Coordinates of all heavy atoms in Angstrom, one line a residue:
I16 N 36.1 30.8 -96.4 CA 34.7 31.0 -95.9 C 34.5 30.0 -94.8 O 34.0 30.3 -93.7 CB 33.7 30.8 -97.0 CG1 33.8 32.0 -98.0 CG2 32.3 30.8 -96.4 CD1 32.8 31.9 -99.2
L20 N 33.7 30.7 -90.8 CA 32.6 30.2 -90.1 C 33.0 29.5 -88.9 O 32.3 29.6 -87.8 CB 31.8 29.2 -91.1 CG 31.0 29.9 -92.2 CD1 30.5 28.8 -93.2 CD2 29.8 30.7 -91.6
E99 N 25.8 57.3 -67.5 CA 27.3 57.6 -67.4 C 28.1 56.3 -67.2 O 29.1 56.1 -67.8 CB 27.6 58.6 -66.3 CG 29.0 59.0 -66.2 CD 29.2 60.0 -65.1 OE1 28.3 60.5 -64.5 OE2 30.4 60.4 -64.8
I114 N 41.2 43.5 -77.4 CA 42.4 42.7 -76.9 C 42.1 41.2 -77.1 O 43.0 40.5 -77.6 CB 42.6 42.9 -75.4 CG1 43.0 44.4 -75.2 CG2 43.6 42.0 -74.8 CD1 43.2 44.8 -73.7
L174 N 36.1 29.7 -74.8 CA 37.3 30.6 -74.9 C 38.5 29.9 -74.2 O 39.7 30.0 -74.6 CB 37.0 31.9 -74.2 CG 36.0 32.8 -74.9 CD1 35.8 34.1 -74.1 CD2 36.3 33.1 -76.3

Side-chain angles (χ1 to χ4, degrees):
I16 293 174
L20 286 171
E99 183 178 353
I114 294 175
L174 297 182

